[in-house]
Amino acid sequence: MDQVSDIQQWYSIGCLSSLKELKVRDDARNYGLEAFVPLKYQIRTSLKQKQRILVPAISGLLFVKGTEEEVKAYVDRSHFQVYMRKSTFSNKEDYLTVPCKAMEAFIAVTENNEQHITYYRPDEIKLQAGDQIRVKGGIYDGKEGIIMRIKGKRNKQLVVQIPGLLVAAVEMAPELIELKAQQQEIIDEKPSKNIDTDKKFLYDTAHRLLFDITGPYKESAEYFLLLSELKRCRARLLPIKGFTPATEAELALPLYMAAVIINEDIEPCQERLIKAMARLKDCSKLKARCEEMLRTLNFEY
């Protein structure tokens, strides 16, 4: 068994069996895996009487934690119609996973507190507009997330997310909010297994985010989905080094573009790109493309 298969992760599971998400969750737990379904309250009318019941926040979606082989084995033997979801944008051989830290924070805030939670799609709120906070006291004591004011809500909300899929928000009393020191976002991704595919994807995605999706479209669902995938792909490529001047420049260029988009590690990425360019021949079309990108992004080269 390879090393990747030995790592326990949260996998996104699709459920085609109608209204069976909770049964699948319980079945996976009985199989020996951790499983979670985000829930919300919904008002339904039965026999002219309104009832408040718990339903999945997103129909057909749940999460299971285990090694890849363990989750595959469960999916294969399950008598429910379930499958392991794959990323929309990245390498189609990769299953869609959620970083453990993000998943655990989401579960800690939302599990058993459904009456307090409002759910949003990632495109409905702008997650960058908030401060990292820690809750001190109350039922959410010690929990961490983003604090922000959301349109239609009177008070500030504690926001946690499952990247690219679901955002949960809960109203917080001001006296319970404690600002955290700013720190870099940690994205839990393994080094790329398909470097050529990933570096092309990173370049194409970064180019779209920089030049094609502009103005009000930067608030669209497409923009935030692409941004999430860009961050994941960038994390996979950061540890990789090119063995030739050309392969190093092909890596350094999209990594620099991605750094500009997320405003993180721009200077070291510039230095890496310039060093890679210095090893290319003056007549190289790749070198000309790198020089043009540096100029376009307002760096004097």
Side-chain angles (χ1 to χ4, degrees):
M1 184 179 295
D2 62 36
Q3 188 175 3
V4 172
S5 297
D6 290 335
I7 300 173
Q8 286 202 333
Q9 300 185 91
W10 282 99
Y11 288 86
S12 177
I13 303 297
C15 177
L16 298 175
S17 300
S18 179
L19 304 177
K20 294 292 193 297
E21 295 90 349
L22 293 178
K23 290 184 180 295
V24 174
R25 179 201 64 186
D26 295 341
D27 187 53
R29 288 174 177 175
N30 290 333
Y31 184 76
L33 302 174
E34 290 187 59
F36 174 69
V37 177
L39 298 173
K40 65 179 180 180
Y41 277 106
Q42 186 177 87
I43 303 298
R44 290 185 178 175
T45 302
S46 177
L47 300 176
K48 297 183 179 181
Q49 183 175 353
K50 291 184 178 180
Q51 296 179 330
R52 191 175 71 154
I53 62 171
L54 278 173
V55 298
I58 297 182
S59 178
L61 176 68
L62 65 146
F63 300 89
V64 172
K65 185 180 181 182
T67 66
E68 183 175 313
E69 294 305 317
E70 288 171 340
V71 177
K72 280 183 177 178
Y74 168 71
V75 168
D76 288 343
R77 53 79 58 193
S78 176
H79 58 274
F80 296 101
Q81 292 179 290
V82 293
Y83 62 96
M84 297 172 70
R85 300 177 64 190
K86 293 186 177 181
S87 174
T88 305
F89 300 105
S90 63
N91 189 334
K92 292 184 179 180
E93 296 303 313
D94 290 337
Y95 293 107
L96 186 58
T97 60
V98 179
C100 287
K101 185 176 180 180
M103 194 75 222
E104 289 161 6
F106 192 91
I107 293 173
V109 170
T110 61
E111 193 171 39
N112 301 322
N113 296 298
E114 292 85 359
Q115 65 269 31
H116 302 289
I117 305 295
T118 303
Y119 286 102
Y120 300 90
R121 298 189 307 272
D123 57 291
E124 291 181 300
I125 59 176
K126 189 176 181 181
L127 289 177
Q128 289 87 341
D131 294 316
Q132 291 288 330
I133 63 103
R134 181 182 290 108
V135 181
K136 51 180 184 179
I139 62 173
Y140 298 109
D141 185 44
K143 305 303 184 290
E144 298 179 357
I146 296 172
I147 194 71
M148 59 188 299
R149 193 177 299 280
I150 297 174
K151 186 177 181 180
K153 299 288 184 179
R154 295 183 60 185
N155 299 314
K156 289 186 176 181
Q157 309 280 307
L158 169 67
V159 174
V160 290
Q161 67 166 326
I162 299 174
L165 291 172
L166 190 62
V167 177
V170 59
E171 184 175 317
M172 293 304 303
E175 64 271 17
L176 300 181
I177 296 170
E178 179 181 67
L179 280 174
K180 285 180 60 183
Q182 292 298 315
Q183 57 186 16
Q184 286 188 342
E185 178 184 7
I186 298 174
I187 300 178
D188 186 15
E189 283 286 327
K190 300 180 290 294
S192 176
K193 294 184 290 184
N194 192 329
I195 297 172
D196 288 339
T197 297
D198 274 346
K199 69 185 180 183
K200 182 180 186 303
F201 171 80
L202 186 62
Y203 178 85
D204 291 343
T205 304
H207 197 280
R208 287 187 66 190
L209 293 175
L210 284 167
F211 307 115
D212 298 335
I213 303 179
T214 59
Y217 297 105
K218 285 188 176 292
E219 302 297 323
S220 68
E222 179 186 16
Y223 181 87
F224 287 107
L225 283 170
L226 287 173
L227 183 62
S228 175
E229 292 296 330
L230 174 133
K231 290 178 179 179
R232 291 167 65 96
C233 186
R234 174 180 179 269
R236 292 195 296 271
L237 288 175
L238 275 175
I240 309 297
K241 301 292 182 183
F243 292 105
T244 68
T247 56
E248 173 63 7
E250 288 171 350
L251 279 166
L253 176 58
L255 285 172
Y256 167 64
M257 295 164 67
V260 171
I261 291 168
I262 65 175
N263 194 28
E264 184 178 304
D265 296 328
I266 296 176
E267 187 172 340
C269 287
Q270 284 176 348
E271 292 176 0
R272 178 176 177 178
L273 179 56
I274 291 170
K275 286 180 181 178
M277 290 165 55
R279 299 173 60 198
L280 297 173
K281 294 181 179 179
D282 290 338
C283 61
S284 167
K285 291 183 179 179
L286 176 57
K287 185 172 185 175
R289 181 152 54 100
C290 293
E291 291 173 340
E292 177 61 26
M293 187 59 66
L294 283 168
R295 287 193 293 268
T296 302
L297 298 180
N298 300 317
F299 180 76
E300 294 185 5
Y301 173 72

